[in-house]
Amino acid sequence: VQLQASGGGLVQTGGSLTLSCAASGSSLGYYKVAWLRQAPGKEREGISCIDSFANSHYYGDSVKGRFTIFSDIAKDTVDLLMNGLQPEDTAIYFCAAGSVPCTTLLAATDQTPNIYWGQGTLVTVSS
């Protein structure tokens, strides 16, 4: 399974972007899907996860109330709608998928087994 993250770009403070995670080789509907981000000089941070089987969503405290994760069944993507963007949201955003729990996905590193990763998309929020 190969993941493709897209939708990043440059936006002003307070603006919005929607990121999209698509898969080839399988359907995202079979997996839990998470979005993580890594800002320059910081550790990777798990920010949101969707478990369609359990109809549950998770948001980190830093994005709760501003970001929304959802599955677009028609497009077979998992999208992240980001509102109220702030300069501290500037990061490379990755999507990750797996059959593991969302808690595992959100804490995943490159060494975590059974996780599929997208290549990342850059979000830059100007002040």
Side-chain angles (χ1 to χ4, degrees):
V1 179
Q2 293 184 327
L3 303 185
Q4 177 79 31
S6 61
L10 174 64
V11 64
Q12 292 185 331
T13 296
S16 298
L17 280 176
T18 299
L19 306 182
S20 187
C21 181
S24 59
S26 184
S27 170
L28 281 179
Y30 294 125
Y31 305 103
K32 288 95 170 176
V33 180
W35 283 95
L36 303 89
R37 68 185 181 185
Q38 188 160 18
K42 295 188 176 181
E43 293 187 353
R44 191 172 295 177
E45 174 192 13
I47 57 172
S48 188
C49 187
I50 184 167
D51 180 349
S52 298
F53 302 101
N55 194 28
S56 64
H57 309 76
Y58 171 87
Y59 298 97
D61 289 340
S62 61
V63 305
K64 196 174 296 182
R66 300 187 298 126
F67 291 9
T68 303
I69 190 170
F70 61 96
S71 296
D72 188 320
I73 296 174
K75 296 191 300 181
D76 194 17
T77 61
V78 171
D79 296 344
L80 186 69
L81 170 61
M82 307 186 295
N83 293 321
L85 285 163
Q86 302 296 316
E88 53 266 34
D89 294 315
T90 294
I92 298 174
Y93 285 70
F94 302 88
C95 60
S99 300
V100 297
C102 270
T103 50
T104 301
L105 270 179
L106 290 163
T109 69
D110 293 340
Q111 285 71 46
T112 304
N114 304 315
I115 305 292
Y116 303 106
W117 291 94
Q119 85 290 356
T121 185
L122 177 63
V123 173
T124 303
V125 185
S126 63
S127 58

